Amino acid sequence: MQQGQAIIERIRRISAGVQRLELAVEKPHQAISGGQFFLARTDSAYGPYLREAWLPIAVRENVVIVERPTRYAYLPNQVIDLLGPIGRPFPLRSSARTLLLIAYEATPAIFLLMLQSALARQCAATLVLIGQARRYPFEALPPALEVTLAEYHERWAEREQQIAWADQIFAAAPPPYDIPAYLRLLEDVQRIRQAIGPETLYGVFQPPMPCGIGACQACLVRLQSGDEMLACIDGLAFDLTRVNLLQNLPNSPGA
Amino acid sequence: MQQGQAIIERIRRISAGVQRLELAVEKPHQAISGGQFFLARTDSAYGPYLREAWLPIAVRENVVIVERPTRYAYLPNQVIDLLGPIGRPFPLRSSARTLLLIAYEATPAIFLLMLQSALARQCAATLVLIGQARRYPFEALPPALEVTLAEYHERWAEREQQIAWADQIFAAAPPPYDIPAYLRLLEDVQRIRQAIGPETLYGVFQPPMPCGIGACQACLVRLQSGDEMLACIDGLAFDLTRVNLLQNLPNSPGA
Amino acid sequence: MLEITAGKSALRLSRPVIGASGAFGFASEYSKLIDLSLLGALVTNPISLRPRRAAHSTRVVPLDGGVLIHTGLPNSGIHKMHRQYAAKWRASPIPIIMHLIGSADDLAECAIFLDQQSEVAAIELGINDTLTAREVRAVVATVRARTQLPLLAKLPLYQAVNVAAAAVDGGANALVIAAPPRGTARDPLSGQLVGGRLYGTWLKPLVLRLVGQLAMRLDVPLIGCGGVHHPDDVRDFLEAGARAIQLDSVVWARPEMVTAIAQAFSVGELTRMAGALADEWRAIGEPAERRTQLLLAPPPPSMPSPPEI
Amino acid sequence: MLEITAGKSALRLSRPVIGASGAFGFASEYSKLIDLSLLGALVTNPISLRPRRAAHSTRVVPLDGGVLIHTGLPNSGIHKMHRQYAAKWRASPIPIIMHLIGSADDLAECAIFLDQQSEVAAIELGINDTLTAREVRAVVATVRARTQLPLLAKLPLYQAVNVAAAAVDGGANALVIAAPPRGTARDPLSGQLVGGRLYGTWLKPLVLRLVGQLAMRLDVPLIGCGGVHHPDDVRDFLEAGARAIQLDSVVWARPEMVTAIAQAFSVGELTRMAGALADEWRAIGEPAERRTQLLLAPPPPSMPSPPEI
Ligand SMILES: Cc1cc2nc3c(=O)[nH]c(=O)nc-3n(C[C@H](O)[C@H](O)[C@H](O)COP(=O)(O)OP(=O)(O)OC[C@H]3O[C@@H](n4cnc5c(N)ncnc54)[C@H](O)[C@@H]3O)c2cc1C
Ligand SMILES: Cc1cc2nc3c(=O)[nH]c(=O)nc-3n(C[C@H](O)[C@H](O)[C@H](O)COP(=O)(O)OP(=O)(O)OC[C@H]3O[C@@H](n4cnc5c(N)ncnc54)[C@H](O)[C@@H]3O)c2cc1C
Ligand SMILES: Cc1cc2nc3c(=O)[nH]c(=O)nc-3n(C[C@H](O)[C@H](O)[C@H](O)COP(=O)(O)O)c2cc1C
Ligand SMILES: Cc1cc2nc3c(=O)[nH]c(=O)nc-3n(C[C@H](O)[C@H](O)[C@H](O)COP(=O)(O)O)c2cc1C
Ligand code: FES
Ligand code: FES
């Protein structure tokens, strides 16, 4: 993890809602893997006070491509202050041959860098876009990826086969996370696969991260063991069979 | 005084430090006279919290030209929120035939709109640029205006004649005002002209103005009579023979 | 309609949005920019028994996202102010509340004077930061004994929780939470550190918490004041237990927001504002306790923020 | 060099810039980004006698120009924390100050334990917002009686002026002014109002004033904490009477500023910082009283801001 400067070299709008920024980054920021991200600051002032999470979707030598909503305006040559890489790479098993990625109402951008290496080593991968996630411009996705669309979880007709088929399953939701969605998925996976092996079912947890370095303790995720893990150090992907989902409901009664 | 929106139609840099913005303004803001100004906000957020004073230097139908330092960046078509006109027009006497304008270390922009009408009615006008004020691009000033340069007040060689010659004298300084400079000027004028008639010698007072409308009482200027006047309502020009200059020193011991 | 009653007299607010002392001037200064009849009431700038002159020192220090102001509370004393402004106050489309400052004796004399007049609908007492709870009770009781007018007490931010009950015991009919806190900043002009009161959007979370705490403990109407810059801020204050709010420095920074905030309320009843979520929203008529309790009750199922796609 | 002494033991700071509790973690978390040896000392995140778990509820609400945070102060209790971190603390290039929270009994037990250990150079006591001056004196005295270590007391913002003398009477060797205040904000996620502590640049003028007030009254070293985001902020605190400052949320927002701020000080002596005016600047060695008095002395002649031409 390093602090450094990046320069926006190119801005490409790929749909009404999504733009891709090509950032020239320094060495330490080129070594970023799928599931890791940056905490970015566009401004030398303090508004917004906290940094924004920027998700890289591809790396090419000294250029990292990140995806940002189009409602933020950027300029070519703009200098961006980056902290990163934050978090652990997604735990893609080397033995995994089939990969199921699910985006609940959220951009699938967080999966794309991992997907690149998975496809490179001949994994078969399916991306499920649920609800608003269907608005994602899937023409921009790798052709080798199979894409399934569903209005909502229960309308995801292929879920029996796809869940049974996958060696590993990753689910994302709008930040910070969507516990009800992850619960529905966990129940389905338990029902369909009976035993869920270790390193099989992951949810993405992306709480606000004041520091991103393990110091402020604000991004804790509670586990069923009673332990707590830091999303910025141990995340973003957490094994959904180990997380105490109910204790991570935002503003839950236990508070 | 009204709140309204203006659009930046054109941006022209006239020197390294000065740019002129042509603003398309609404009706009530076209009726602005020399000495009046706008309180502007470029941003819908609250940083900076207080509005900025924008000085118009010319009015042409629905276009007002304002001068701004080049260290602020603007874009064509940018929408600006304006409050104004603020303050009273400078009290240019209809009988005045000779006008002396002095800029101490400051842009003379605040004089230019008044100067336009003064020159239109055949006043003779001299502008004295002192210290840093000499960096002002005087090529951009009306040719009918006589310009005198001086390194500092005491080096202003022509001041005996020019002070004796003028029907009215106006002095400006960097905001909010420069009491030591105004004191030196007042002493000179008293020495050179013996009696100073009413409406002869004015200083520009431009304290920070939270409201600009006479409500917050933060812009008070103390007079020798013991009275107080509001710079936003009664200013910007105050008769230097009536102001209690020592009581308006920033953070003076009386505080 | 919110009523703040004191025996037989009452202050009636058609909308729970009030112009705060210090921000709107002494009467109709802002009528050039704002339709003041949209407000429920207007509080005058501070008025004292005897004349006060402006502070000599630096009076404004612009800050990141806020401003420090120290005016010295200039005014020509209550009698002269009354002569000067009575006609304007009579002509005001909304009730005028006079903000009074001074010692207990001064305040008592002001109260006796105002009780003879008809232009002012209520008194807001500026409670000095240095007073103990006991002193606050005494000051309020002194004024209470000398006027029939409804009495609002505006409490200092840091002391609000400690002195609120005392102000009510002394006879305050409503509490304004809170007067802006004092601070110190470097004056860029003189290069010196100067003191004054602080304004800005960041005040809101500080004040909102105090309102929430006091709403659970006290039965008196609470008026939130500090950092309200948006209709959503009003919603937050009402939900925390305030019955009304005061707008202060927003009128300088963005006068149009005063209108937007006031217009978010129809007369008497409360319409839902932009951004309000149906299931969170409570009508203004419900008692403060009820609304505050709800904050501590189990939450609705998680509501993901709108996706960024 | 600033020394905070307690009998024979002393905390020596090579620079008057300290990493604040809650912001820098428990030990060397920030060593990846910052050369921690540039700091004078580091205060750990809060540690309690018994384990504390993270708050269930929303823990972060981003705000305009700041942030609300409520962590619940998770830590596994002083004994386990000590086992886990002792090696890191021993290896630290700068003194480690442990921030302790809890009841008087808990704190006493923690103090007895720390007095047997060698890794921690001083204790910072987090003083609860709800304690009276008398209770603060008792808590500090309880801890004082059980350790030889230098004792810093970190006071709540609202109560700092009221409890400062009591903390000194109880035996505090330095005061940290102040712990961040609590506030309430709407969590965009759950749509509910939530509580927590508030951080941001706007804290500085509030805290600076308290430091100025206390420096005039007390003889104990004061450490300013709140809203320091720039080398000029350090200058302001030292001029107001602080002997050192703590950096907190700036390290999250702009870690590079921590280095810039620390590097503005050479060891022991104080160089003038960017933007400092020669005639205002006072050396750090002068007593606090002297420096604070100067603020109230007649000002230099007006210094116009640089012209905009
Ligand atoms: C509700 C209310 C009621 C009031 N009632 C009265 C009343 O009854 N009678 C009356 O006369 N006035 C009253 N006032 C006005 C007010 O209390 C004072 O007259 C005015 O604020 C002057 O206070 P001050 O600035 O001297 O005090 P403070 O703000 O307490 O400051 C004391 C001095 O220390 C300086 N200082 C502060 N912090 C620092 C620092 N960190 N470093 C260096 N210097 C610092 C300040 O600049 C100031 O000079 C009232 C005000 C209010 C809000
Ligand atoms: C220095 C220090 C020492 C400490 N010492 C101890 C100790 O000895 N022992 C210990 O157990 N803990 C200690 N703590 C931890 C701390 O005091 C509490 O455990 C923790 O802050 C929980 O407090 P709270 O959030 O419930 O209280 P508060 O912040 O006071 O809030 C009370 C409740 O009201 C809610 N609320 C607040 N404002 C509003 C509003 N406007 N509207 C609606 N609801 C609102 C809040 O969300 C909260 O649920 C210490 C902390 C510090 C800083
Ligand atoms: C511009 C301005 C704004 C004010 N705003 C408020 C306010 O919101 N609440 C309040 O109780 N008093 C307000 N007052 C009065 C102050 O609270 C307070 O009485 C006064 O500011 C105290 O001292 P000072 O201005 O001399 O520092 C304001 C005064 C002024 C001049
Ligand atoms: C992120 C974070 C930052 C903190 N910063 C400070 C601080 O600057 N000063 C301090 O005394 N304590 C600090 N603490 C501890 C708090 O002051 C305080 O003990 C704690 O926040 C109280 O309750 P809460 O976090 O449960 O609301 C911090 C704690 C955390 C988790
Ligand atoms: S974001 Fe601070 S510990 Fe994870
Ligand atoms: S700026 Fe508010 S009264 Fe002049």
Side-chain angles (χ1 to χ4, degrees):
Chain A
M1 131 91 86
Q2 297 258 347
Q3 183 177 22
Q5 307 226 299
I7 294 174
I8 299 182
E9 294 205 328
R10 190 167 177 178
I11 303 170
R12 212 194 305 234
R13 183 182 270 251
I14 63 160
S15 75
V18 179
Q19 60 190 336
R20 290 184 174 172
L21 312 182
E22 299 190 9
L23 302 177
V25 301
E26 294 171 27
K27 263 265 149 46
H29 290 160
Q30 296 163 24
I32 192 163
S33 306
Q36 296 183 304
F37 64 102
F38 297 110
L39 286 175
R41 175 174 292 287
T42 50
D43 197 339
S44 66
Y46 289 100
Y49 195 78
L50 296 186
R51 289 163 173 267
E52 294 163 343
W54 282 27
L55 307 180
I57 60 156
V59 183
R60 282 199 321 253
E61 291 166 24
N62 73 329
V63 171
V64 170
I65 305 177
V66 301
E67 244 177 58
R68 296 290 300 150
T70 49
R71 67 189 151 86
Y72 298 101
Y74 302 99
L75 294 171
N77 294 320
Q78 194 178 343
V79 176
I80 308 293
D81 184 90
L82 294 183
L83 272 187
I86 311 279
R88 263 189 229 281
F90 281 166
L92 183 64
R93 286 204 315 260
S94 55
S95 60
R97 287 286 152 262
T98 51
L99 203 55
L100 180 61
L101 309 173
I102 310 162
Y104 286 102
E105 308 285 347
T107 167
I110 189 72
F111 297 134
L112 298 189
L113 196 53
M114 170 176 71
L115 192 63
Q116 213 177 31
S117 35
L119 294 175
R121 52 161 143 130
Q122 312 297 329
C123 272
T126 294
L127 172 65
V128 188
L129 299 173
I130 296 184
Q132 300 291 325
R134 291 169 302 167
R135 285 160 52 200
Y136 190 82
F138 45 86
E139 350 30 291
L141 294 170
L145 178 69
E146 186 179 315
V147 179
T148 299
L149 306 182
E151 200 181 335
Y152 48 88
H153 182 88
E154 287 71 19
R155 281 276 176 99
W156 167 21
E158 306 82 346
R159 74 183 190 280
E160 299 272 338
Q161 308 96 286
Q162 290 177 339
I163 287 175
W165 160 85
D167 288 340
Q168 282 190 292
I169 304 173
F170 291 85
Y177 41 76
D178 184 346
I179 297 295
Y182 293 171
L183 274 171
R184 279 195 298 271
L185 177 64
L186 177 63
E187 282 165 20
D188 266 356
V189 177
Q190 277 167 335
R191 182 174 49 74
I192 293 164
R193 299 174 64 128
Q194 267 89 46
I196 310 181
E199 303 194 346
T200 299
L201 175 61
Y202 288 93
V204 172
F205 286 73
Q206 209 182 342
M209 295 191 187
C211 77
I213 205 168
C216 76
Q217 316 258 289
C219 68
L220 283 168
V221 171
R222 291 174 162 244
L223 304 186
Q224 284 176 345
S225 63
D227 283 346
E228 293 161 345
M229 293 186 107
L230 296 167
C232 69
I233 297 291
D234 307 306
L236 300 180
F238 287 94
D239 187 329
L240 289 183
T241 63
R242 294 185 55 213
V243 171
N244 186 328
L245 290 171
L246 290 179
Q247 284 193 357
N248 286 296
L249 272 174
N251 213 23
S252 76
Chain B
M1 128 91 86
Q2 297 257 347
Q3 183 177 21
Q5 308 226 300
I7 294 173
I8 299 182
E9 294 205 327
R10 192 166 175 179
I11 303 170
R12 212 193 306 233
R13 184 182 270 251
I14 63 160
S15 76
V18 179
Q19 60 190 335
R20 291 185 174 172
L21 312 182
E22 300 192 9
L23 301 177
V25 301
E26 294 172 27
K27 262 264 149 49
H29 291 159
Q30 296 162 24
I32 192 162
S33 305
Q36 295 184 304
F37 64 102
F38 298 110
L39 286 175
R41 174 174 291 288
T42 50
D43 197 340
S44 67
Y46 289 99
Y49 195 76
L50 296 185
R51 289 163 173 266
E52 295 163 342
W54 282 27
L55 307 179
I57 60 156
V59 182
R60 282 198 323 253
E61 291 167 22
N62 73 328
V63 171
V64 170
I65 305 179
V66 300
E67 244 175 60
R68 297 288 301 148
T70 48
R71 66 188 152 87
Y72 298 102
Y74 303 99
L75 294 171
N77 293 320
Q78 195 178 343
V79 175
I80 308 293
D81 184 88
L82 295 182
L83 272 188
I86 311 279
R88 263 188 230 281
F90 281 166
L92 183 63
R93 286 204 314 264
S94 55
S95 60
R97 286 288 154 261
T98 51
L99 202 55
L100 181 61
L101 309 173
I102 311 163
Y104 286 104
E105 309 284 349
T107 167
I110 189 72
F111 297 134
L112 298 189
L113 196 53
M114 170 176 71
L115 191 64
Q116 214 178 30
S117 35
L119 295 175
R121 50 161 143 131
Q122 312 297 330
C123 272
T126 294
L127 172 65
V128 188
L129 298 173
I130 295 184
Q132 300 291 325
R134 292 170 302 167
R135 285 162 50 201
Y136 190 82
F138 45 86
E139 337 50 277
L141 294 170
L145 178 68
E146 186 180 315
V147 178
T148 299
L149 306 181
E151 201 182 333
Y152 48 89
H153 182 87
E154 288 70 20
R155 282 275 176 101
W156 167 20
E158 307 83 346
R159 73 183 190 282
E160 298 273 335
Q161 309 94 285
Q162 289 178 340
I163 287 175
W165 159 84
D167 289 340
Q168 282 190 291
I169 304 172
F170 291 85
Y177 40 77
D178 184 346
I179 297 295
Y182 293 171
L183 274 171
R184 279 194 298 271
L185 178 64
L186 177 62
E187 282 165 21
D188 266 356
V189 178
Q190 276 166 336
R191 182 174 48 76
I192 294 164
R193 301 173 62 128
Q194 267 89 45
I196 310 181
E199 303 194 346
T200 299
L201 176 60
Y202 288 93
V204 172
F205 285 74
Q206 209 182 342
M209 296 190 187
C211 77
I213 204 168
C216 76
Q217 316 261 286
C219 68
L220 283 167
V221 172
R222 291 173 162 245
L223 303 185
Q224 286 176 344
S225 63
D227 283 346
E228 293 160 344
M229 292 186 107
L230 295 167
C232 69
I233 298 292
D234 308 306
L236 299 181
F238 287 94
D239 187 330
L240 289 182
T241 64
R242 295 184 56 212
V243 171
N244 186 328
L245 290 171
L246 290 179
Q247 285 194 357
N248 287 296
L249 272 174
N251 213 23
S252 77
Chain C
M1 166 80 78
L2 170 62
E3 272 201 18
I4 295 170
T5 50
K8 274 178 255 169
S9 76
L11 170 68
R12 293 190 181 83
L13 305 178
S14 59
R15 284 195 180 80
V17 178
I18 301 172
S21 180
F24 283 79
F26 289 104
S28 52
E29 284 87 338
Y30 264 103
S31 60
K32 288 162 242 172
L33 279 187
I34 296 169
D35 177 2
L36 291 175
S37 70
L38 290 174
L39 298 178
L42 190 74
V43 188
T44 67
N45 278 13
I47 293 177
S48 46
L49 179 61
R50 270 168 262 281
R52 287 174 64 98
R53 298 197 53 194
H56 285 247
S57 60
T58 300
R59 293 191 286 261
V60 180
V61 181
L63 301 170
D64 263 14
V67 59
L68 176 148
I69 300 191
H70 170 71
T71 64
L73 310 180
N75 77 93
S76 42
I78 192 168
H79 299 102
K80 196 161 164 203
M81 294 301 283
H82 183 266
R83 282 196 298 280
Q84 197 175 338
Y85 286 100
K88 285 189 178 162
W89 292 334
R90 266 193 302 274
S92 166
I94 49 173
I96 297 293
I97 302 168
M98 189 184 283
H99 184 95
L100 290 180
I101 55 168
S103 64
D105 289 350
D106 283 5
L107 292 171
E109 208 172 313
C110 291
I112 292 170
F113 173 74
L114 283 182
D115 219 40
Q116 319 299 317
Q117 316 300 331
S118 58
E119 295 81 11
V120 166
I123 293 173
E124 179 179 272
L125 290 180
I127 300 297
N128 198 295
D129 315 46
T130 59
L131 301 185
T132 62
R134 182 191 300 266
E135 289 164 339
V136 169
R137 184 190 297 109
V139 168
V140 177
T142 303
V143 177
R144 175 75 292 162
R146 284 162 181 82
T147 179
Q148 306 292 320
L149 290 172
L151 215 52
L152 286 61
K154 187 166 193 174
L155 307 183
L157 184 79
Y158 290 3
Q159 297 303 321
V161 169
N162 298 333
V163 304
V168 176
D169 283 356
N173 307 111
L175 301 180
V176 184
I177 312 298
R182 289 172 194 278
T184 298
R186 191 173 296 275
D187 172 20
L189 190 72
S190 67
Q192 294 204 289
L193 296 183
V194 299
R197 291 187 180 260
L198 297 166
Y199 301 85
T201 53
W202 51 268
L203 261 170
K204 186 194 138 190
L206 293 170
V207 175
L208 190 59
R209 174 168 196 268
L210 301 180
V211 167
Q213 289 185 313
L214 289 172
M216 287 186 253
R217 301 187 198 169
L218 299 175
D219 240 347
V220 70
L222 299 179
I223 301 171
C225 176
V228 179
H229 286 71
H230 192 275
D232 286 350
D233 295 337
V234 184
R235 171 170 78 108
D236 293 350
F237 271 104
L238 296 179
E239 182 168 331
R243 302 291 304 277
I245 56 91
Q246 291 191 354
L247 299 177
D248 56 18
S249 58
V250 67
V251 73
W252 310 331
R254 298 186 59 190
E256 77 280 13
M257 284 309 283
V258 174
T259 307
I261 292 170
Q263 280 177 337
F265 299 88
S266 59
V267 180
E269 127 210 32
L270 206 59
T271 50
R272 201 139 36 98
M273 278 162 294
L277 299 166
D279 52 349
E280 295 166 29
W281 185 245
R282 327 267 169 245
I284 194 178
E286 293 180 35
E289 297 69 27
R290 168 79 198 291
R291 260 172 293 125
T292 308
Q293 294 296 316
L294 286 168
L295 298 180
L296 309 174
S302 95
M303 281 173 285
S305 49
E308 297 189 342
I309 296 173
Chain D
M1 167 79 79
L2 172 62
E3 271 200 20
I4 294 170
T5 49
K8 275 178 254 171
S9 76
L11 170 68
R12 294 189 180 83
L13 305 178
S14 60
R15 284 196 179 80
V17 178
I18 301 171
S21 179
F24 284 78
F26 289 104
S28 53
E29 284 86 339
Y30 263 103
S31 60
K32 288 162 243 172
L33 278 187
I34 295 169
D35 177 2
L36 292 175
S37 70
L38 290 173
L39 298 178
L42 189 73
V43 189
T44 67
N45 279 12
I47 293 177
S48 46
L49 178 62
R50 270 169 261 282
R52 287 176 62 97
R53 299 196 52 193
H56 284 248
S57 60
T58 300
R59 292 190 288 261
V60 180
V61 181
L63 301 170
D64 264 13
V67 58
L68 177 148
I69 299 192
H70 171 72
T71 64
L73 310 180
N75 77 92
S76 42
I78 192 166
H79 299 102
K80 195 160 165 204
M81 294 303 283
H82 183 266
R83 282 196 298 280
Q84 196 174 341
Y85 286 99
K88 285 190 178 161
W89 292 334
R90 267 193 302 272
S92 167
I94 50 172
I96 297 293
I97 302 168
M98 188 184 284
H99 184 95
L100 291 179
I101 56 167
S103 64
D105 288 350
D106 284 5
L107 293 170
E109 208 171 317
C110 291
I112 292 171
F113 173 74
L114 283 183
D115 219 37
Q116 318 299 318
Q117 318 300 331
S118 58
E119 297 80 11
V120 166
I123 293 173
E124 179 179 273
L125 290 179
I127 300 296
N128 198 294
D129 316 46
T130 59
L131 302 185
T132 62
R134 180 191 303 265
E135 291 164 340
V136 169
R137 184 191 297 111
V139 168
V140 177
T142 303
V143 177
R144 175 73 294 160
R146 283 163 181 83
T147 179
Q148 306 291 322
L149 290 172
L151 215 52
L152 286 59
K154 186 166 195 175
L155 307 183
L157 184 79
Y158 290 3
Q159 296 302 321
V161 170
N162 299 332
V163 305
V168 176
D169 283 357
N173 306 110
L175 301 180
V176 184
I177 311 298
R182 290 172 194 278
T184 298
R186 190 172 296 276
D187 172 20
L189 189 72
S190 67
Q192 294 204 289
L193 297 183
V194 299
R197 291 188 180 259
L198 296 166
Y199 301 84
T201 54
W202 52 267
L203 261 170
K204 187 194 139 191
L206 292 170
V207 174
L208 190 58
R209 175 167 194 269
L210 300 181
V211 167
Q213 289 185 316
L214 289 172
M216 287 186 255
R217 301 186 199 171
L218 299 175
D219 241 348
V220 71
L222 298 178
I223 301 171
C225 176
V228 178
H229 286 72
H230 191 275
D232 286 349
D233 295 336
V234 184
R235 171 169 77 107
D236 294 350
F237 271 103
L238 296 179
E239 183 168 331
R243 303 291 303 277
I245 56 91
Q246 291 190 354
L247 300 177
D248 55 19
S249 58
V250 67
V251 73
W252 309 332
R254 298 186 59 192
E256 78 280 14
M257 285 308 285
V258 175
T259 308
I261 292 169
Q263 280 177 336
F265 299 89
S266 62
V267 180
E269 126 212 30
L270 205 59
T271 50
R272 201 143 29 100
M273 277 161 293
L277 298 165
D279 52 349
E280 297 165 27
W281 185 246
R282 327 264 168 248
I284 196 178
E286 292 179 35
E289 297 69 28
R290 166 82 197 291
R291 258 172 295 126
T292 308
Q293 294 297 314
L294 286 168
L295 297 180
L296 308 173
S302 93
M303 281 172 286
S305 48
E308 297 188 342
I309 296 175

